[in-house]
Amino acid sequence: MAGAKNILVINGPNLNLLGARQAEFYGTDTLEAINARLEKRAKDAGAQLASFQSNAEAELIERIQQARRDGVDYIIINPAAYTHTSVAIRDALAAVGIPFVEVHLSNIFSREPFRRESYFSDLAVGVLSGLGARGYELALDFALGSRGKE
Ligand code: CA2
């Protein structure tokens, strides 16, 4: 199966703080460093990758809708706290119909019970949780070799 060529990485609220605090959950990499690695990895594979982070639900939804118009063919998303609350972001992903992988830096199943619920996982092609920043890279490698549910 042909691989994704136009990939969008979306990060939700507070992930702009990566590298600054709570390293025990989220590691020491900054989001900038993670995105730079992903961009290089995609470029080396002949694909293009854009990244977007917002603390605002509406902006995340607008960016997902824009992705359809931009011809994005794969999304990698860490919805952060919206994972556990946002029907609106779920609906946006369902509406655009772009395959996506859900990524979490921490293992959401080993933390507070409310983190075990995700509004995204049943729609996602797959979920990576607890593998730190490597999770984004593994999701990207998967996207580069695939176009949807296998
Ligand atoms: O493990 C993940 O990637 C999460 O999506 C991160 C969210 C959390 O609400 C989810 O349950 C799991 C929180 C992101 C907060 O990011 C910070 C980064 C640095 C310092 C403080 C917060």
Side-chain angles (χ1 to χ4, degrees), residues 21-42:
R21 302 181 56 213
Q22 295 198 285
E24 67 281 16
F25 285 127
Y26 306 125
T28 52
D29 281 339
T30 62
L31 188 57
E32 202 177 29
I34 293 169
N35 286 335
R37 282 206 301 273
L38 295 175
E39 274 163 40
K40 182 179 184 310
R41 211 175 179 94

